[in-house]
Amino acid sequence: MDSPRLGLIGTGMITQEFAAATKAENAFELVAVMSRSSATARSFIEDADLDRVVIATEISKLLGHSLDAVYIASPNSFHKNHALAAIDAGVNVMVEKPAFWNPAQ
């Protein structure tokens, strides 16, 4: 069975640790990384020693890569929109805290 295809949103310390753990456990196939800056995403990919990973700077581009799940660790103010976009695309979501700003969301 093939590993689930994973996209990462965000390139901070927690995402670096998540990518390292995922790679070590071989639990997912890391497919794409999204950052607001392609240079930051490229640096993240190089530092994490990831192979064949696509770079996206927009959520629609990230979700266009047949993902099974996304790990969201973008700035908190983006969590809601990123999570809802992934859910609308039928992609499973893991959100680094917090998912929403308030109960109404």
Side-chain angles (χ1 to χ4, degrees):
M1 183 173 129
D2 293 330
S3 297
R5 295 169 52 87
L6 176 68
L8 303 175
I9 302 176
T11 55
M13 183 184 70
I14 191 73
T15 312
Q16 292 169 0
E17 291 177 14
F18 185 85
T22 300
K23 187 175 178 183
E25 292 297 320
N26 202 24
F28 291 94
E29 176 188 356
L30 293 172
V31 175
V33 172
M34 184 182 129
S35 177
R36 292 173 286 176
S37 159
S38 58
T40 303
R42 193 171 301 107
S43 177
F44 175 89
I45 290 167
E46 290 171 5
D47 291 347
D49 193 28
L50 300 173
D51 297 323
R52 300 180 315 272
V53 176
V54 227
I55 293 172
T57 56
E58 299 173 17
I59 189 72
S60 60
K61 302 291 185 196
L62 178 83
L63 295 172
H65 291 284
S66 302
L67 302 175
D68 296 303
V70 292
Y71 177 73
I72 300 173
S74 52
N76 293 349
S77 60
F78 294 106
H79 286 188
K80 175 189 170 205
N81 291 341
H82 290 158
L84 292 176
I87 291 166
D88 286 345
V91 175
N92 294 297
V93 174
M94 295 174 271
V95 183
E96 181 255 356
K97 53 80 189 146
F100 305 104
W101 284 104
N102 59 58
Q105 293 180 335

